């Protein structure tokens, strides 16, 4: 009997050794995201479960989308970030400048089920978010805004309003507010006349704008009464409401975008990162983000796994899609650098 137990123990140890060796050799890496409610959601939905399943430690950092920081790492040959959450515009700009690795999708999974726009050369779409209009109905009296583009109507809705301190989304909404059909926005914005028209419309509210640079700021500004309305990422307003606020979200003319993973050029942990991305892409894992923040997964297979109670709060819910503008990453890849420079100059004058 003792000999049998020893044999079983030896067999169990032999089976465990490869797993122990894998855990011992598991290569930790650094993942960088947007902080706040979104990164909290990522941590609960993906980072912690992945570490528990594999033993691989994920170190975390935060950023606000400033490509200059990645550029400095890459050009100095000291890339310390291995996986970064970004938006399509920044992904395309960085890809064009050689700041992000070209992805090998065969190491992630079958992309046939991806939503349109979620598969870029250097970026993998992880969830769908929306820039919406948020306001506090206890402070904004009278007629309620009906469209995100109503943020440009200072006569009907006087007072300070919040906008993200970037050209993307703002230029699209400016054209819609100026009468351009939502599905023709990029046709117009590709022209010099269209760009001039968008900046002219921005001029009409410039003195009334409070600029935000981090996703946590819009709900804070609403709660403090600093603005009467603001553009915001829908998940941040939904999260604020879960925590006791009663803000209203306006969906028509939402600007729909993706959060995306990119691998900075020069990362020394690429194999470990691809292992994580393969895990991330599994439908049951991809759908888990909706348990923690109101962003939609990027595949139909994952969307089918979302609770029916959660679906109405997601950007891709049919009732939220009226006049939705889907951000065009190719446009921002082609025109982003030029429009960023013009926007910054416009801000300074």
């Amino acid at each position: 009997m003792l000999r049998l137990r020893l044999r079983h123990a030896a067999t169990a140890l032999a089976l465990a050794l490869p797993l122990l060796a894998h855990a011992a050799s598991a290569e930790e890496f650094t993942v960088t995201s947007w902080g706040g409610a979104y990164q909290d959601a990522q941590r609960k939905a993906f980072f912690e479960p992945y570490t528990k399943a594999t033993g691989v430690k994920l170190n975390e950092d935060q950023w606000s989308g400033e490509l200059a920081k990645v550029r400095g790492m890459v050009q100095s040959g000291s890339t310390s970030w291995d996986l970064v959450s970004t938006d399509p515009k920044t992904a395309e700009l960085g890809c064009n400048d050689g700041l992000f690795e070209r992805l090998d999708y065969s190491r992630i999974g079958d992309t046939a089920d991806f939503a349109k726009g979620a598969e870029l050369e250097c970026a993998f779409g992880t969830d769908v978010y929306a820039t919406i209009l948020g306001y506090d109905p206890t402070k904004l009296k009278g007629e309620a805004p009906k469209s995100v583009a109503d943020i440009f109507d200072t006569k009907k809705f006087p007072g300070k309003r919040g906008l993200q301190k970037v050209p993307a989304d703002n230029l699209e909404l400016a054209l819609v507010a100026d009468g351009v059909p939502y599905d023709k926005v990029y046709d117009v914005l590709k022209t010099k006349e269209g760009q001039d028209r968008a900046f002219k419309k921005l001029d009409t509210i410039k003195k009334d704008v409070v600029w935000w640079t981090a996703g946590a700021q819009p709900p804070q500004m609403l709660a403090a009464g600093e603005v009467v309305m603001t553009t915001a990422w829908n998940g941040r307003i939904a999260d604020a409401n879960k925590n006791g606020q009663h803000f209203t979200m306006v969906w028509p003319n939402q600007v729909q975008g993706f959060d995306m993973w990119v691998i900075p050029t020069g990362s020394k942990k690429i194999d470990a990162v691809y292992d994580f991305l393969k895990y991330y892409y599994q439908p049951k894992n991809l759908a888990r983000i909706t348990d923690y923040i109101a962003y939609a997964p990027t595949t139909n297979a994952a969307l089918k796994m979302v609770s029916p109670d959660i679906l109405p709060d997601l950007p891709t819910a049919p009732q939220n899609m009226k006049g939705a503008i889907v951000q065009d990453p190719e446009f921002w890849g082609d025109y982003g650098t030029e429009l960023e420079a013009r926007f910054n100059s416009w801000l300074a004058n």
Side-chain angles (χ1 to χ4, degrees):
M1 180 65 72
L2 179 60
R3 185 179 300 170
L4 182 60
R5 287 177 181 171
L6 288 173
R7 186 182 301 126
H8 284 174
T11 301
L13 180 60
L15 290 172
L17 280 175
L19 296 177
L20 292 171
H22 174 75
S25 64
E27 191 171 16
E28 65 183 65
F29 62 92
T30 299
V31 58
T32 299
S33 191
W34 302 100
Y38 181 59
Q39 193 158 339
D40 289 343
Q42 289 178 304
R43 185 179 307 112
K44 294 171 186 174
F46 309 116
F47 304 163
E48 291 176 350
Y50 185 71
T51 296
K52 184 176 181 180
T54 66
V56 177
K57 181 182 178 183
L58 274 62
N59 302 308
E60 295 185 43
D61 205 345
Q62 297 178 18
W63 79 324
S64 298
E66 61 280 12
L67 267 179
K69 191 160 187 176
V70 178
R71 194 183 310 278
M73 289 183 186
V74 173
Q75 291 180 347
S76 67
S78 57
T79 301
S80 58
W81 291 348
D82 303 299
L83 186 65
V84 177
S85 182
T86 190
D87 55 72
K89 169 185 70 72
T90 305
E92 281 292 281
L93 287 171
C95 191
N96 291 346
D97 290 349
L99 303 181
F100 302 133
E101 299 280 351
R102 265 62 179 175
L103 293 180
D104 179 358
Y105 279 95
S106 69
R107 301 182 66 179
I108 299 172
D110 181 8
T111 60
D113 198 35
F114 266 142
K116 182 181 178 182
E119 179 187 353
L120 302 180
E121 190 175 7
C122 295
F124 154 52
T126 58
D127 55 76
V128 184
Y129 70 92
T131 295
I132 51 86
L133 179 67
Y135 68 93
D136 185 342
T138 67
K139 296 174 182 174
L140 184 63
K141 305 297 184 181
E143 185 178 352
K146 297 180 175 62
S147 160
V148 185
D150 280 344
I151 201 165
F152 284 86
D153 192 340
T154 54
K155 291 183 179 178
K156 191 178 291 183
F157 309 107
K160 295 293 183 180
R161 52 255 290 126
L163 288 177
Q164 189 180 8
K165 201 173 185 178
V166 293
D169 296 356
N170 293 329
L171 296 182
E172 290 93 327
L173 289 169
L175 288 179
V176 172
D178 204 45
V180 176
Y182 75 93
D183 56 349
K184 302 294 182 185
V185 161
Y186 288 107
D187 292 337
V188 176
L189 203 51
K190 286 176 182 176
T191 68
K192 176 65 164 56
E193 294 77 16
Q195 293 166 16
D196 291 345
R197 182 176 174 181
F199 276 98
K200 186 176 180 180
K201 190 66 177 178
L202 277 172
D203 280 336
T204 65
I205 63 169
K206 186 176 183 180
K207 64 180 178 59
D208 297 307
V209 173
V210 178
W211 298 102
W212 58 269
T213 57
Q217 290 176 272
Q220 291 169 357
M221 293 192 299
L222 288 174
E226 188 177 354
V227 295
V228 296
M229 60 177 63
T230 181
T231 58
W233 298 325
N234 72 287
R236 298 305 182 101
I237 299 297
D239 185 72
N241 287 343
K242 281 183 182 179
N243 287 287
Q245 298 293 348
H246 301 282
F247 302 141
T248 298
M249 285 188 280
V250 180
W251 287 98
N253 295 135
Q254 60 160 299
V255 184
Q256 204 172 89
F258 297 101
D259 285 300
M260 312 192 90
W261 286 128
V262 293
I263 304 172
T265 301
S267 166
K268 297 176 178 60
K269 307 292 181 68
I270 289 181
D271 288 340
V273 168
Y274 271 115
D275 286 345
F276 174 73
L277 292 181
K278 190 173 183 67
Y279 167 90
Y280 199 107
Y281 179 75
Q282 299 304 309
K284 69 179 186 301
N285 297 334
L286 200 58
R288 207 156 50 215
I289 190 68
T290 63
D291 293 336
Y292 302 102
I293 199 166
Y295 294 159
T298 51
T299 69
N300 288 323
L303 194 61
K304 290 175 183 176
M305 297 184 177
V306 174
S307 166
D309 296 336
I310 295 174
L311 281 173
D313 292 329
L314 302 184
T316 52
Q319 65 268 32
N320 295 335
M321 289 292 291
K322 183 179 179 182
I325 304 162
V326 179
Q327 194 181 85
D328 184 343
E330 290 187 3
F331 170 84
W332 284 105
D334 292 339
Y335 295 89
T337 301
E338 174 186 340
L339 290 175
E340 289 271 6
R342 181 172 180 179
F343 181 76
N344 291 332
S345 176
W346 174 82
L347 283 174
N349 294 321

